[in-house]
Amino acid sequence: MLELRGIRKSFGRIEVLHGVDLHVRAGEVHALLGENGAGKSTLMKIVSGIIQPSSGTILVDGQERSFPTYDDAIRAGIGIVFQEFSLIPYLTAVENMFLAREIRNGLGLLDRRAMRERARQILKRLEVDIPLDIPIARLSVAEQQFVEIAKALSLNARILVLDEPTATLTPTETAHLFKVMRELRAAGVAIVFISHHLDEIFEICDRITVLRDGEYVGDRDVGQVDTDGLVEMMVGRRIENSFPPKPAPDPQAPMVLEVTELQLRRGGPVSAFHLRAGEILGFAGLVGSGRTETVLSMLGEHGAARCRLRIDGVETRLRDAADGLVRGIGLLPESRKEQGLITPFSILQNVSLNNYRKYAQAHWFIDFRKERDCTRTAMQQVRVKAPGPHARVDTLSGGNQQKVVIARWLNHDMRVLIFDEPTRGIDVGAKAEIYQLMRDFTAQGYAIIMISSELPEVIGMSDRVCVFRQGGIVATVEGGAITSERIMTEATTGKVDHVA
């Protein structure tokens, strides 16, 4: 149904796609894999008419086509669901689905009843119940994701591109999405599926095409390759074990943080935990179990019924995250683009944020040489791959953007680092680098809290794990007890004590 031959794309003098091929059949889910920066999203933007190829051929149903605009691709039956949502937050689901192609009656007026009925039919096909009369901003992330898919289907798309559609979905929501994808496949729709979760590839996909550094590496039927083989195709080397070895626990390591009482809401569970220098404490649990809220409450950024904590043995109350910075606690938020970075700014500007006092010269002026040297040192520490400190952050891959956030907190001389979903949207090669960095930090005496929805990550990286359920910690496990069975049992059936 879709064939790409020798697609090349250059931005100025830099060629980012070097003669890429892709063949997608009707009625199949075709995975497009590669590290961040491999060219996957650029290739799909070419398919959908958002950018133009420098050379190469696009064929749909065997006929050579060109798509000067996004609308031209839509008319050819190509729909795309971007990794970053393209919905307008203050419009409703119906208004978003029919934006710029509204159904009108004989008088040229909007036929809201017809649009609503069409939207209802599409959502019924997806087997999702989404409120149609409230702004998109009030829907959950999963509901917004299904609105994006419904919008693509409303275009009568026969070729559907899904770019990281499960990145923000729970396992239950992901399972429902896969059910919908199987039904679309049975109806003859060709689906291009981009994901960094290799277990999802083996669960839902029929064939796989791999890109590396803008080049076509090869394609395989799913049954012809295993995880190790895919990783080697993607990164050009074998990664025997993504997780560095865990050091032996040191019970004499100084206690840097103790939360003695934390209650998110009155009548809810009361949590307590501690963190020693040189260890990684994992926070595990289902989405909505209170992991991120607990950290934000500890930092004073989220209202809590009560919160008592000690830093280096001293009773402390943090008013906000800025107060936490002064006390040596840095947060790498779940959404790095929205909360952790100013992406149009340079690496240097992002690393210097909140810390210009460090470069103060004669009270009023900035020592730019010192700022540049500190930024370069921080970039080297976390191995940021970029032309230099003045490169814009929005030109970097997801893994390198995450490293820029880490570099900022190292530049702040933090002692406690809180990683919230540290590898979300990051490829397997960059994940291994982030994991090694985390272990390097703890070897230097840093303490880390890691919030993660990925069980292999929790098990492979944590020295101890706090398991959350219904807003509180129900168990803390360590050593050989850190298993998927134990964590999931506690997360789904653990018991907590409620207090008045």
Side-chain angles (χ1 to χ4, degrees):
M1 185 174 285
L2 173 69
E3 185 176 357
L4 308 181
R5 297 177 184 169
I7 298 294
R8 294 180 178 273
K9 178 62 184 177
S10 297
F11 294 100
R13 296 182 179 179
I14 301 173
E15 187 174 73
V16 297
L17 293 178
H18 317 297
V20 173
D21 297 335
L22 179 69
H23 308 82
V24 185
R25 300 166 183 155
E28 78 167 354
V29 179
H30 193 112
L32 183 61
L33 299 184
E35 293 187 273
N36 290 111
K40 306 183 299 295
S41 294
T42 300
L43 188 65
M44 291 302 99
K45 287 177 181 177
I46 288 173
V47 168
S48 55
I50 295 169
I51 60 177
Q52 301 303 305
S54 302
S55 63
T57 304
I58 302 173
L59 298 97
V60 177
D61 294 325
Q63 301 297 313
E64 187 170 334
R65 303 293 298 269
S66 65
F67 305 126
T69 68
Y70 180 48
D71 285 342
D72 293 317
I74 289 173
R75 281 190 286 271
I78 298 172
I80 183 168
V81 176
F82 298 100
Q83 183 176 1
E84 307 293 337
F85 289 164
S86 59
L87 302 172
I88 297 178
Y90 52 82
L91 297 182
T92 67
V94 176
E95 290 166 338
N96 269 283
M97 287 170 63
F98 293 96
L99 186 65
R101 48 187 192 84
E102 294 83 358
I103 300 175
R104 299 181 180 275
N105 60 23
L107 299 176
L109 302 176
L110 294 182
D111 192 338
R112 297 186 181 276
R113 179 178 296 178
M115 288 189 289
R116 183 183 176 86
E117 178 59 24
R118 173 69 175 143
R120 191 189 63 77
Q121 291 173 358
I122 295 170
L123 292 171
K124 183 179 179 181
R125 178 183 177 187
L126 295 176
E127 297 183 12
V128 291
D129 184 17
I130 293 175
L132 298 179
D133 300 316
I134 65 174
I136 283 287
R138 290 170 56 188
L139 300 180
S140 70
V141 172
E143 289 173 327
Q144 292 181 36
Q145 184 70 275
F146 281 110
V147 171
E148 283 274 23
I149 295 170
K151 181 179 177 180
L153 293 180
S154 72
L155 304 170
N156 297 314
R158 298 181 303 119
I159 301 167
L160 181 62
V161 179
L162 301 177
D163 192 352
E164 294 283 355
T166 65
T168 54
L169 301 185
T170 67
T172 300
E173 291 161 347
T174 297
H176 182 69
L177 173 62
F178 286 175
K179 180 176 181 290
V180 170
M181 289 171 63
R182 290 186 183 100
E183 291 173 353
L184 293 174
R185 176 173 60 189
V189 175
I191 300 174
V192 180
F193 180 67
I194 300 175
S195 175
H196 289 308
H197 298 282
L198 297 187
D199 55 332
E200 295 179 351
I201 301 303
F202 289 101
E203 179 178 351
I204 192 64
C205 295
D206 304 298
R207 287 195 304 129
I208 302 163
T209 291
V210 178
L211 305 184
R212 183 169 71 238
D213 297 329
E215 294 187 353
Y216 168 79
V217 176
D219 62 61
R220 301 284 189 277
D221 288 337
V222 167
Q224 293 178 331
V225 68
D226 59 12
T227 300
D228 290 340
L230 273 184
V231 171
E232 187 171 2
M233 289 177 71
M234 290 166 62
V235 303
R237 66 189 188 278
R238 296 190 75 82
I239 298 179
E240 301 298 340
N241 189 352
S242 296
F243 304 112
K246 295 182 184 180
D250 180 6
Q252 304 304 316
M255 194 84 70
V256 294
L257 178 67
E258 297 172 89
V259 174
T260 54
E261 283 185 303
L262 198 153
Q263 187 180 37
L264 295 179
R265 59 185 181 278
R266 292 190 180 279
V270 178
S271 298
F273 62 91
H274 66 268
L275 181 66
R276 293 185 182 274
E279 79 166 342
I280 297 177
L281 177 65
F283 278 12
L286 304 179
V287 174
S289 59
R291 300 165 304 171
T292 298
E293 290 81 358
T294 293
V295 163
L296 294 178
S297 295
M298 179 187 77
L299 293 174
E301 289 287 346
H302 189 285
R306 55 175 136 159
C307 179
R308 295 185 61 190
L309 70 149
R310 291 195 289 266
I311 299 177
D312 294 326
V314 179
E315 191 87 18
T316 306
R317 184 171 186 83
L318 302 177
R319 293 166 298 178
D320 51 33
D323 213 6
L325 287 180
V326 174
R327 303 304 180 100
I329 303 175
L331 171 66
L332 287 83
E334 180 178 5
S335 176
R336 59 179 173 269
K337 289 186 178 180
E338 294 180 7
Q339 301 170 317
L341 295 165
I342 301 179
T343 54
F345 281 19
S346 68
I347 297 172
L348 181 143
Q349 291 169 313
N350 274 278
V351 170
S352 298
L353 281 174
N354 318 107
N355 205 22
Y356 277 103
R357 189 173 299 167
K358 181 174 182 175
Y359 314 119
Q361 180 177 272
H363 301 293
W364 295 102
F365 300 98
I366 299 296
D367 185 338
F368 293 112
R369 177 177 295 177
K370 182 178 180 181
E371 180 188 20
R372 186 178 62 250
D373 291 345
C374 287
T375 301
R376 282 183 172 145
T377 298
M379 289 173 65
Q380 290 169 1
Q381 279 184 284
V382 299
R383 299 186 281 277
V384 175
K385 296 176 183 175
H390 294 288
R392 281 173 49 133
V393 166
D394 56 10
T395 66
L396 305 180
S397 68
N400 282 300
Q401 289 180 358
Q402 185 73 303
K403 290 178 185 178
V404 172
V405 184
I406 299 171
R408 179 196 301 160
W409 299 139
L410 293 184
N411 191 43
H412 264 279
D413 301 319
M414 298 291 101
R415 295 181 305 112
V416 176
L417 297 173
I418 302 170
F419 288 75
D420 194 349
E421 303 290 357
T423 62
R424 174 168 287 171
I426 293 177
D427 63 73
V428 289
K431 281 184 179 182
E433 290 186 6
I434 296 291
Y435 296 149
Q436 187 59 58
L437 282 174
M438 292 169 72
R439 277 299 170 199
D440 291 346
F441 296 154
T442 55
Q444 297 166 27
Y446 291 89
I448 292 176
I449 294 175
M450 182 186 73
I451 306 168
S452 177
S453 300
E454 295 192 31
L455 269 182
E457 186 169 87
V458 171
I459 296 165
M461 288 300 298
S462 303
D463 300 305
R464 292 183 299 117
V465 178
C466 293
V467 185
F468 284 74
R469 181 172 182 263
Q470 295 180 346
I473 296 172
V474 294
T476 300
V477 296
E478 53 188 290
I482 303 178
T483 64
S484 56
E485 294 79 12
R486 174 71 185 277
I487 291 172
M488 287 307 298
T489 298
E490 297 287 359
T492 55
T493 64
K495 299 184 182 302
V496 293
D497 296 324
H498 288 68
V499 297

